[in-house]
Amino acid sequence: MPEDKLTTALTQFMLIDALSSIYLSLHIIDLNKNTSVEYNASSDIRETANKNTDADEVMVATMKNVVIAEHQEAALRFSDLHTVAYRLKGKRTITAEFIGTHTGWFRARFITIDTDENGLPTRVIFATEIIDEEKRREENLIRISLTDELTTLLNRRAYEEEMKLYADLSKYNDFVYISMDLNGLKRVNDNIGHSAGDELIVDAARIIRSSFANYGKIFRTGGDEFQAIIFANEEEVERAREDMNKYCENWKGKLSDTMSISLGVATNTEFPDLDVLELAKIADKRMYEDKDAYYKRTGLDRRK
C-alpha cells in the first residue's frame, strides 16, 4: 500500500477507534453497497470490527431490538438507509433521540464521511450514545422553570402553556376551570409580617393541592392567586370544595390562625359554547363574588 494511502487508513482507524470509545455503538455504512461494519470500543479496533451485509436489514433489526415500542416507528423512519442520503445532503450530521429498552434515553446520529459528485453521502457513520443523565438534567431544568419556588405548585408559565392545550373544549368532557384567591393576605403581611404571609400562601397551596390535585393540575399565578384546571363532575367538584373549606376551618399556623380561600368555578358542561378564556372570566367573576361575600360575612375591610 502506498505510504499516503497507508497514512490515510491509519488516520481513519485512529479516528474510528476514538469514536468507538465515545459512542455506545458505531457502524460504518456504505450506502451504495448496502454494507455495514460495526465497531466496538477496544484497544485493537481491527479485532472488534464485525462485518455485516445488508446494512438496511441490520439497521431495522437493531432498532426493533433496542427501542421501546412507542418510539419504534420514529426510530425506523430516522434509521431508514433508503432515505438517509437525501436527509443528510448538505449536512455533516443529523440526530434523533429515543428511549431504549435497556439503556434509557439515547441519541442516534448519522455522520457524513464521503459524498458523490452531487453532494449525496455515499458512506456514513451511524452512532448511538446514552444520554439518560443528560435527559434527567434537562427534564429537571424544565421542571424547575415550570414550578413556583415558594409553594412547589406549577407557576404562571406552566399555566399559560396549559391553557394553550384547551383551545378546543369540544374534545373534552367535564372540563372545570377554578379560580381561587387567598383572603386576608395583606392584613397578615401588614400586621404580623411577611413570614406569616408566606406561611399562609404555602399552606393554602397545600390545602388546594390536597383538595383538587387528584382531578388535574394546580397553579400559583400570582401572590395570592391560584388556578386549577381539572376534569371532574359536579358532585366531585362540590366535594373537593367542601374538603378545602374544612381544611381551612381547621387550619392553625405557627404565626397566624385564620385561613380562608375564595373560589369560583366554571365548567364546559354549564357553558358548552364558551372557550377556555371565557370560562376563566366567569370563574374569576364568581371568585370575586365569593370574596365579597366573605368580607361582608366577617365584617373585615378587604383593603386592610
Side-chain angles (χ1 to χ4, degrees), residues 291-300:
K291 184 176 283 289
D292 286 339
Y294 165 80
Y295 283 106
K296 288 178 181 178
R297 185 171 64 252
T298 60
L300 297 172

Side-chain angles (χ1 to χ4, degrees), residues 241-301:
R241 183 207 294 259
E242 290 174 358
D243 287 343
M244 185 190 78
N245 289 335
K246 287 178 183 177
Y247 287 137
C248 289
E249 290 170 7
N250 295 324
W251 179 83
K252 297 292 180 184
K254 294 180 180 179
L255 301 174
S256 61
D257 58 6
T258 301
M259 172 79 73
S260 174
I261 302 169
S262 292
L263 178 148
V265 176
T267 73
N268 68 339
T269 302
E270 184 181 6
F271 302 102
D273 297 326
L274 300 188
D275 63 30
V276 67
L277 295 177
E278 291 169 322
L279 287 182
K281 289 179 181 178
I282 291 173
D284 282 343
K285 181 175 180 293
R286 289 175 171 178
M287 182 273 293
Y288 283 115
E289 290 170 352
D290 190 42
K291 184 176 283 289
D292 286 339
Y294 165 80
Y295 283 106
K296 288 178 181 178
R297 185 171 64 252
T298 60
L300 297 172
D301 186 344

Side-chain angles (χ1 to χ4, degrees), residues 124-141:
V124 297
I125 293 174
F126 177 77
T128 62
E129 59 180 320
I130 297 174
I131 58 168
D132 211 43
E133 183 61 32
E134 178 182 326
K135 274 291 183 181
R136 278 196 291 270
R137 290 196 299 270
E138 178 182 309
E139 289 167 1
N140 186 51
L141 287 173

